[in-house]
């Protein structure tokens, strides 16, 4: 029976640690720009020299 109290206290400690980590992440700006990183992968390709010459002939 005493082990349940230890587990409850341990659960509160783990929950408090996750809450503190979440608050730290929010305050440090981890969630401010959720749109740009998702769009950056779409426009990450660099123009190669062959693509430049192809576009000049059109």
């Amino acid at each position: 029976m005493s082990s349940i109290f230890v587990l409850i206290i341990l659960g509160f400690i783990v929950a408090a640690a996750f809450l503190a980590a979440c608050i730290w992440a929010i305050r440090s700006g981890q969630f401010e720009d959720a749109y740009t990183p998702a769009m950056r992968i779409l426009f990450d390709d660099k123009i190669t020299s062959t693509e430049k010459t192809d576009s000049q002939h059109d």
Side-chain angles (χ1 to χ4, degrees), residues 1-54:
M1 185 69 182
S2 64
S3 64
I4 193 80
F5 294 117
V6 172
L7 290 175
I8 289 172
I9 292 170
L10 188 63
F12 278 119
I13 291 171
V14 170
F18 277 109
L19 181 64
C22 182
I23 290 171
W24 172 79
I26 291 170
R27 288 189 178 182
S28 67
Q30 296 288 322
F31 301 110
E32 286 184 0
D33 188 15
Y35 182 72
T36 303
M39 295 301 292
R40 187 179 308 147
I41 194 168
L42 297 174
F43 303 109
D44 199 26
D45 293 335
K46 294 182 180 183
I47 298 174
T48 61
S49 61
T50 57
E51 290 176 353
K52 285 181 184 177
T53 56
D54 290 340

